[in-house]
């Protein structure tokens, strides 16, 4: 037997194997780092950098350092930066070509750090950014108008119905006057009637039978003519009466039209307390909406990683025989394992206030195989400007048909930045926040509770009465409890905020707003009615002209009546 | 120990040794080199069994496409067992070159075996064994080449042993007198080999 055994060969084999292992250990790091960079870059859509990678054999694992993941929407910023990742892997799983991390430690996680060089991919087209709500509250939702424009300015801009009607009346009166004047000129005047009188008197002086007979015929003729003229005069007078009555009715309505004009102007330029009542939404709404949208955008980007990306075929048919490469035939895995699983990881997140310690459990793209949801927890105590932070995220895809993700967060003793901006800003000494957001499928449900203590408002004095009322109402507010309701969908989230502040502001503002509005009403009434009255007086003058025409008509009718035929 | 002419580093790519001897190889010398090596092995003191077994192992190593666990196992065997190492490394290069031509055949055979419904259960159980996954047995070229080389292993062993014995008893003297053998003997390569031997 020994004649077939070459003992030095065993030593040579050990040396060769050791050299191979050592070569792998010392030389494979850059290749592993490069492979992670390439795969990560493809997945994220922006550059992923890995400064170093070092594999380990006993125990089997991998250490990575200087991991920087570029934010695809902001290439000069890292979405996440990690100082180091150390992981221990399951050997059996790795032999089955699965990555199962049994234990992991991630140190120095930082979010939103600046990059020295752009992490944009050369082939990536610049993303056309959506119109996003501005971060400052006042940029998007101004505090509802607290100022009333000058009455003269209002009236210059306004188009008053009463004055327009007065102009129409003036024109109508002129036309009517000219029309009746024309008709009067065509109707028998005093000379014509005097001529009738002269002719009658001549006939009465006639003598003889023939004279009497001729006179009777002519008298009959005059009587007919006079009757006809009287009828024409009477008809004209009747029409003139009707026209005058109509014009008077329209003139009389000018007063009520002026009142209507005043109401409309007050409605348009007066102060509504409805908008001012939702002061919480004005102060916090846009900022919180911005944060919510940013959070949901991150969530939507990470969401595909929670689900299996590709379905492996059990037995792929080769398209053609690939020389020297062949085809890997896949068989059923028993038990089936996820391609990627981190069973447990310790995390260390660095935020401006300090360090948060966290854990990650069951991170995989195939939760149904693991049977447990992915959980992330962070906790930090005694931080600067913060008493404590608690964050719990549960991504439940155990049943892929009913995905349900849950976020609970609590921040205590936090010193918030100034909220709002411009003409109304809020500062608080301390804030306590709790968030509870649930996402089922695409639907969102959530509650937000924010308690602010040591509240102080800043509102520059502009001399406006309503502003002063708001400032006065807010002066005594030292504590605010804000409640938020989250609804809608992941794509169209809706946030409604309300607080004890709303009632305070509404009460203060309503009274001042009403007073200011009543002052506006009185001044508008005065101005509009002054203008309308002036027009009415002009119209009445014009009507006087019509009355003169009527008097002329009456005189003619009287004279015609006195003809005594 | 005989000089190594060719050896595998990865897959099917033969890499030439970087020794001073081989840097001189040019044109005709390079073509004659394997033949000279082979003749040297045949004419050496090594037993026909050692040479035949080495060539059979080299066939398995040369036909199978990956440098992995199986290659390490074969290396272990050829290093620990008293087989002719020169024959193994020479054979490894030759069989690797031959495998390029035979890969379509290996792929077809491997695909037929791996997709045969009657043995799917067997393959599935192997598929769930971590060690076997590591050698990529489910690759069509690997499976085809491995099965074919195993099938040829025993027949090739006995055939080579028979041929080597026949060569040594009947042809070695005659071959050494032939013109080609003289040419080979006259080359610098052969002289160098001889000096190494």
């Amino acid at each position: 037997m020994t004649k077939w055994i070459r003992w030095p060969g065993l030593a040579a084999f050990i040396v060769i194997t050791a050299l191979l292992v050592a070569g792998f250990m010392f030389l494979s790091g850059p290749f592993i780092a490069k492979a992670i960079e390439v795969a990560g870059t493809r997945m994220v859509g922006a550059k992923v950098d890995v400064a170093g990678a070092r594999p380990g054999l006993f125990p089997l694992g991998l250490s990575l350092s200087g991991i920087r993941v570029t934010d695809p929407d902001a290439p000069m910023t890292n979405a996440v930066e990690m100082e180091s990742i150390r992981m221990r892997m399951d050997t059996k799983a790795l032999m089955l070509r699965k990555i199962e991390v049994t234990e992991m430690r991630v140190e120095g996680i930082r979010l939103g750090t600046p990059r020295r060089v752009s992490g944009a991919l050369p082939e990536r087209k610049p993303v056309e950014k959506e119109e996003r709500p501005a971060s400052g509250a006042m940029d998007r939702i101004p505090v509802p108008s607290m100022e009333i424009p000058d009455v003269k300015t209002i009236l210059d801009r306004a188009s008053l119905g009463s004055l327009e009607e007065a102009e129409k009346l003036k024109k109508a009166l002129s036309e009517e006057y000219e029309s009746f004047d024309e008709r009067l000129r065509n109707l028998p005047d005093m000379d014509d009637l005097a001529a009738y009188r002269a002719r009658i008197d001549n006939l009465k002086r006639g003598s003889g039978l023939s004279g009497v007979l001729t006179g009777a015929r002519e008298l009959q003729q005059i009587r007919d003519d006079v009757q006809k003229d009287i009828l024409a005069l009477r008809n004209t007078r009747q029409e003139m009466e009707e026209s005058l009555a109509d014009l008077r009715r329209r003139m009389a309505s000018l007063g009520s039209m002026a009142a209507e004009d005043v109401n409309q102007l007050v409605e348009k330029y007066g102060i509504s307390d409805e908008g001012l009542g939702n002061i919480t939404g004005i102060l916090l709404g846009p900022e919180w909406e911005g944060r919510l949208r940013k959070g949901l955008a991150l969530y939507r980007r990470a969401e595909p990683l929670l689900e299996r990306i590709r379905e492996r075929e059990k037995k792929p048919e080769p398209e053609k025989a690939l020389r020297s490469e062949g085809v890997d035939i896949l068989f059923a895995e028993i038990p089936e394992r996820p391609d990627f699983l981190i069973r447990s990881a310790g995390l260390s997140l660095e935020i401006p206030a300090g360090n948060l310690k966290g854990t990650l459990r069951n991170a995989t793209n195939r939760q149904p195989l693991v049977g447990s949801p992915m959980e992330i927890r962070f906790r930090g105590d005694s931080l600067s400007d913060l008493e404590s932070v608690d964050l719990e995220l549960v991504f439940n895809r155990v049943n892929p048909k009913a995905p349900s993700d849950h976020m609970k967060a609590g921040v205590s003793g936090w010193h918030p930045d100034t909220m709002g901006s411009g003409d109304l800003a809020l500062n608080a000494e301390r804030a306590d926040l709790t968030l509870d957001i649930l996402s089922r499928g695409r639907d969102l449900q959530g509650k937000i509770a924010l308690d602010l203590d040591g509240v102080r408002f800043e509102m520059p004095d502009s001399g406006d009465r309503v502003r002063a009322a708001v400032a006065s109402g807010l002066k005594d507010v030292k504590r605010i409890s804000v409640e938020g309701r989250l609804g809608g969908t992941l794509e169209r989230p809706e946030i409604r905020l309300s607080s004890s502040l709303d009632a305070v502001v509404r009460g203060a503002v309503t009274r001042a707003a009403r007073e200011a509005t009543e002052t506006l009403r009185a001044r508008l009434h005065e101005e509009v009615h002054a203008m309308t009255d002036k027009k009415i007086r002009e119209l009445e003058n014009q009507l006087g002209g019509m009355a003169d025409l009527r008097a002329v008509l009456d005189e003619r009718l009287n004279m015609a009546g006195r003809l005594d035929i | 120990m005989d000089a190594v002419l060719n050896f595998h580093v990865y897959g099917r790519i033969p890499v030439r040794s970087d020794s001073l001897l081989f840097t001189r190889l040019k044109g005709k010398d390079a073509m004659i080199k394997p033949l000279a090596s082979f003749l040297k092995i045949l004419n050496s003191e090594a037993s026909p069994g050692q040479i035949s077994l080495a060539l059979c192992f080299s066939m398995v190593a040369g036909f199978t496409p990956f440098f992995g666990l199986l290659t390490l196992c074969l290396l272990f065997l050829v290093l620990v067992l008293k087989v002719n190492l020169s024959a193994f490394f020479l054979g490894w290069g030759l069989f690797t070159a031959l495998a390029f031509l035979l890969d379509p055949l290996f792929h077809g055979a491997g695909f037929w075996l791996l997709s045969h419904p009657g043995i799917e259960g067997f393959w599935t159980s192997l598929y769930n064994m971590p060690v076997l996954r590591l050698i990529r047995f489910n690759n069509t070229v690997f499976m085809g080449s491995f099965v074919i080389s195993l099938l040829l292993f025993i027949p090739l062993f006995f055939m080579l042993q028979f041929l080597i014995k026949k060569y040594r008893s009947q042809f070695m003297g005659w071959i050494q007198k032939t013109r080609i053998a003289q040419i080979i003997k006259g080359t610098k390569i052969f002289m160098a080999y001889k000096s190494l031997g």
Side-chain angles (χ1 to χ4, degrees):
Chain A
M1 178 67 186
T2 51
K3 76 168 188 178
W4 279 98
I5 301 295
R6 178 164 42 201
W7 293 111
L10 183 63
F13 176 76
I14 291 167
V15 169
I16 289 170
T17 311
L19 283 173
L20 284 173
V21 170
F24 172 74
M25 290 291 293
F26 292 110
L27 302 175
S28 64
F31 296 103
I32 294 171
K34 189 72 193 167
I36 292 170
E37 282 182 351
V38 169
T41 301
R42 195 168 49 226
M43 202 162 71
V44 175
K47 207 170 175 191
V48 173
D49 300 305
V50 179
R54 192 162 51 83
L57 275 184
F58 305 106
L60 186 72
L62 181 67
S63 296
L64 303 173
S65 59
I67 305 104
R68 292 189 298 274
V69 182
T70 308
D71 183 341
D73 296 332
M76 289 306 289
T77 308
N78 290 314
V80 184
E81 186 177 345
M82 288 165 272
E83 211 169 274
S84 68
I85 301 177
R86 288 195 306 276
M87 58 184 103
R88 193 175 287 186
M89 293 177 182
D90 184 285
T91 312
K92 190 179 165 190
L94 198 64
M95 287 164 86
L96 290 167
R97 300 177 187 279
K98 309 284 182 183
I99 297 170
E100 189 174 324
V101 178
T102 51
E103 207 179 310
M104 188 160 96
R105 187 85 231 149
V106 187
E107 299 289 347
I109 305 171
R110 287 184 292 273
L111 307 173
T113 55
R115 286 179 66 89
R116 271 192 299 234
V117 289
S118 170
L121 300 181
E123 66 271 23
R124 188 178 158 90
K125 287 180 183 172
V127 178
E128 284 183 20
K129 284 199 170 182
E130 291 173 30
E131 284 292 323
R132 291 185 179 182
S135 56
M138 300 307 165
D139 296 340
R140 198 167 67 87
I141 304 178
V143 173
S145 175
M146 294 181 184
E147 288 176 10
I148 297 170
D150 179 56
V151 171
K152 188 175 178 304
T153 314
I154 292 175
L155 292 175
D156 284 346
R157 285 185 208 155
S159 144
L160 298 175
S162 56
L163 294 187
E164 282 174 10
E165 178 63 12
E167 282 300 316
K168 282 182 196 165
L169 263 175
K170 190 179 172 184
K171 196 178 168 191
L173 259 172
S174 290
E175 286 169 359
E176 289 291 288
Y177 180 84
E178 281 169 20
S179 165
F180 282 111
D181 189 40
E182 181 68 27
R183 283 175 71 178
L184 272 179
R185 270 197 288 273
N186 295 326
L187 285 170
D189 56 11
M190 296 302 281
D191 293 338
D192 296 328
L193 293 172
Y196 282 129
R197 167 59 57 197
R199 282 170 67 190
I200 292 164
D201 288 344
N202 283 338
L203 287 173
K204 282 180 181 176
R205 280 196 295 270
S207 59
L209 184 59
S210 62
V212 169
L213 288 173
T214 308
R217 277 200 302 275
E218 197 172 340
L219 194 63
Q220 185 60 42
Q221 180 65 41
I222 290 169
R223 184 184 289 138
D224 289 345
D225 288 344
V226 167
Q227 287 300 324
K228 206 183 284 178
D229 286 347
I230 288 172
L231 187 62
L233 286 169
R234 278 183 182 155
N235 284 343
T236 304
R237 194 180 185 285
Q238 178 68 29
E239 281 178 39
M240 191 182 279
E241 274 300 318
E242 284 172 5
S243 175
L244 277 170
D246 182 51
L247 290 167
R248 280 208 179 90
R249 196 174 58 253
R250 285 173 68 182
M251 274 172 66
S253 70
L254 285 178
S256 59
M257 285 178 85
E260 183 61 29
D261 285 341
V262 170
N263 285 340
Q264 282 179 3
L265 291 173
V266 168
E267 198 175 309
K268 189 172 176 184
Y269 294 100
I271 300 169
S272 159
D273 57 335
E274 194 178 323
L276 285 168
N278 186 16
I279 201 81
T280 312
I282 292 162
L283 273 173
L284 308 175
E287 287 171 7
W288 282 81
E289 196 181 316
R291 284 179 190 147
L292 176 72
R293 281 185 193 282
K294 198 171 178 180
L296 290 175
L298 271 174
Y299 169 77
R300 285 207 303 273
R301 202 178 295 160
E303 208 183 5
L305 304 177
L306 301 170
E307 287 158 7
R308 194 178 191 195
I309 296 163
R310 65 190 169 91
E311 284 296 321
R312 301 177 80 178
E313 292 174 62
K314 186 168 174 277
K315 286 191 176 182
E317 288 290 331
E319 287 176 5
K320 59 175 183 176
L322 301 170
R323 191 176 169 197
S324 83
E325 287 178 7
V327 173
D328 286 346
I329 305 289
L330 305 177
F331 297 93
E333 288 176 355
I334 305 164
E336 203 175 354
R337 289 164 178 260
D339 298 329
F340 171 80
L341 169 65
I342 299 171
R343 287 215 177 271
S344 170
L347 312 170
S348 170
L349 174 66
E350 292 176 12
I351 58 170
N355 279 3
L356 304 183
K357 296 289 173 198
T359 55
L360 166 70
R361 287 169 55 78
N362 301 322
T364 180
N365 57 348
R366 300 200 59 193
Q367 287 185 12
L369 298 181
V370 181
S372 304
M374 174 176 160
E375 293 172 10
I376 300 174
R377 286 193 170 82
F378 277 106
R379 183 168 177 78
D381 292 307
S382 306
L383 305 161
S384 65
D385 280 341
L386 251 175
E387 274 176 21
S388 70
V389 176
D390 267 305
L391 176 68
E392 186 183 328
L393 295 160
V394 178
F395 300 96
N396 191 341
R397 306 299 164 97
V398 175
N399 179 2
K401 287 180 183 169
S404 150
D405 301 331
H406 195 181
M407 180 178 100
K408 279 163 105 174
V411 184
S412 298
W414 150 52
H415 181 71
D417 293 335
T418 302
M419 287 168 261
S421 63
D423 52 359
L424 179 59
L426 162 64
N427 287 292
E429 286 170 9
R430 181 198 161 101
D432 298 299
L433 169 75
T434 56
L435 276 173
D436 192 339
I437 299 174
L438 183 68
S439 156
R440 283 184 198 278
R442 311 306 295 170
D443 295 331
L444 279 177
Q445 265 184 311
K447 282 190 290 188
I448 302 165
L450 174 67
D451 288 324
L452 299 167
D453 254 335
V455 169
R456 198 176 66 256
F457 289 92
E458 285 171 19
M459 194 173 199
D461 184 14
S462 63
D464 179 77
R465 195 191 306 173
V466 182
R467 271 177 187 283
V470 172
S472 156
L474 296 175
K475 191 178 64 184
D476 298 328
V477 176
K478 297 293 173 206
R479 185 185 163 84
I480 305 171
S481 292
V482 180
E483 274 189 17
R485 293 270 167 197
L486 183 65
T489 61
L490 282 172
E491 289 75 20
R492 287 178 172 273
E494 289 165 12
I495 183 167
R496 285 179 187 278
L497 296 170
S498 61
S499 77
S500 48
L501 202 59
D502 295 343
V504 172
V505 172
R506 195 178 289 125
V509 167
T510 305
R511 195 171 53 247
R514 278 186 191 154
E515 282 173 13
T517 305
E518 285 313 311
T519 306
L520 173 70
R521 184 187 298 281
R523 289 184 59 198
L524 279 173
H525 184 272
E526 192 180 318
E527 290 291 326
V528 171
H529 278 272
M531 287 192 291
T532 317
D533 289 349
K534 189 182 166 194
K535 291 283 177 190
I536 290 171
R537 278 198 296 278
E538 286 172 12
L539 288 169
E540 277 172 351
N541 283 340
Q542 275 186 286
L543 270 176
M546 287 281 283
D548 290 344
L549 288 179
R550 190 179 60 186
V552 170
L553 261 176
D554 285 345
E555 194 182 351
R556 289 182 192 179
L557 277 169
N558 284 337
M559 191 169 175
R562 287 197 304 271
L563 281 175
D564 189 25
I565 299 171
Chain B
M1 189 200 268
D2 289 342
V4 176
L5 288 178
N6 290 308
F7 63 92
H8 258 153
V9 169
Y10 186 77
R12 294 235 187 268
I13 304 165
V15 175
R16 199 177 294 283
S17 167
D18 210 15
S19 68
L20 180 65
L21 175 69
F22 296 123
T23 55
R24 292 181 184 171
L25 288 175
K26 306 274 185 202
K28 190 171 72 176
D29 286 348
M31 291 170 69
I32 294 169
K33 182 190 59 154
L35 187 59
S37 308
F38 188 61
L39 285 176
K40 185 169 170 52
I41 292 162
L42 289 180
N43 299 343
S44 70
E45 298 297 318
S47 74
Q50 285 176 325
I51 297 170
S52 306
L53 193 59
L55 287 170
C56 288
F57 279 132
S58 70
M59 177 187 63
V60 181
F63 278 0
T64 49
F66 315 115
F67 185 92
L69 196 61
L70 181 72
T71 321
L72 272 180
C73 292
L74 288 170
L75 270 178
F76 174 78
L77 287 173
V78 295
L79 288 170
V80 171
L81 296 176
K82 276 187 182 168
V83 297
N84 189 286
L85 288 176
S86 299
F88 174 78
F89 288 114
L90 177 68
W92 193 353
L94 292 173
F95 281 113
T96 299
L98 185 60
F100 273 94
L101 300 173
L102 296 176
D103 271 348
L105 171 73
F106 295 153
H107 166 76
F111 187 78
W112 183 82
L113 281 166
L114 288 167
S115 57
H116 198 284
I119 45 176
E120 190 185 331
F122 174 66
W123 296 132
T124 304
S125 60
L126 295 188
Y127 189 75
N128 288 287
M129 290 181 187
V131 175
L132 289 176
R133 281 286 282 284
L134 209 59
I135 65 168
R136 284 181 68 184
F137 83 95
N138 57 321
N139 181 274
T140 52
V141 172
F142 178 89
M143 176 55 74
S145 60
F146 184 67
V147 169
I148 287 172
S149 57
L150 281 187
L151 287 174
L152 292 175
F153 195 96
I154 304 292
L156 186 71
F157 174 75
F158 287 112
M159 192 179 79
L160 286 171
Q161 206 173 17
F162 171 77
L163 288 174
I164 292 165
K165 281 178 184 169
K166 200 79 176 166
Y167 166 81
R168 284 182 176 173
S169 62
Q170 293 182 10
F171 297 100
M172 195 167 71
W174 174 77
I175 291 266
Q176 280 178 339
K177 287 176 192 166
T178 59
R179 184 161 178 77
I180 186 150
Q182 297 300 321
I183 292 168
I184 290 167
K185 279 182 182 177
T187 59
K188 282 183 276 186
I189 303 293
F190 191 79
M191 304 300 271
Y193 272 122
K194 210 165 182 185
S195 66
L196 285 171

